[in-house]
Amino acid sequence: MNQYKILVESLKLMALSYEEQREVLPDFVEDNIEEDVVSVFDNAFKLVPQLMDEEKLSYKAVGKIISCFVLMDLNISNTDLNEDAFKHNELWVRVRTLAKEALIEMNEPLTRPNIDLYFDD
């Protein structure tokens, strides 16, 4: 599977509003949307070093991706990962913004993610 595509699609998912995330994710993750979104990005983030070695990411894109990950991790450490916080907390809004900025730096369109890469029906 294309590792770059996995990272891009995880950023697209993270960049969506809570309502849009709820809309694109399969019904069986309905009760744990926040955990699934975080898990998808967390797993994709682990691909960043290899993609850097392959020179598939610019330094600016890497900076945005790392900032997104660190802020996500900080949010998880400092707040309960629950639906209300995930929807409305201004720090989660910032994580979504950083995900969008990373996609822009990567010259990727801000389109709906292909979640089939992560979830089988």
Side-chain angles (χ1 to χ4, degrees):
M1 191 173 303
N2 184 323
Q3 294 177 331
Y4 179 81
K5 180 104 174 123
I6 291 170
L7 178 62
V8 167
E9 298 305 316
S10 74
L11 286 165
K12 287 180 179 182
L13 179 60
M14 182 61 79
L16 296 176
S17 69
Y18 176 82
E19 291 75 18
E20 292 169 315
Q21 290 166 339
R22 184 177 201 80
E23 202 176 284
V24 300
L25 289 172
D27 291 340
F28 64 84
V29 298
E30 186 175 300
D31 294 333
N32 297 310
I33 289 173
E34 50 282 347
E35 291 175 17
D36 287 304
V37 171
V38 166
S39 178
V40 164
F41 181 60
D42 184 59
N43 290 330
F45 180 78
K46 295 172 180 137
L47 303 172
V48 170
Q50 182 175 345
L51 292 170
M52 288 174 61
D53 288 345
E54 296 170 0
E55 298 181 359
K56 293 188 177 180
L57 298 171
S58 71
Y59 287 114
K60 282 186 173 184
V62 170
K64 295 290 184 183
I65 294 165
I66 290 172
S67 295
C68 184
F69 181 83
V70 169
L71 188 54
M72 178 192 78
D73 195 50
L74 184 65
N75 285 346
I76 292 168
S77 299
N78 292 333
T79 63
D80 289 332
L81 185 57
N82 61 50
E83 182 179 337
D84 190 53
F86 198 65
K87 269 195 223 183
H88 303 294
N89 184 296
E90 67 184 60
L91 293 176
W92 281 111
V93 172
R94 181 69 184 133
V95 168
R96 290 180 174 97
T97 300
L98 286 165
K100 288 177 191 170
E101 291 173 1
L103 289 164
I104 291 166
E105 286 296 333
M106 297 164 73
N107 296 314
E108 294 292 338
L110 300 175
T111 55
R112 290 172 69 103
N114 176 4
I115 58 146
D116 293 339
L117 293 172
Y118 309 103
F119 301 98
D120 293 326
D121 288 353

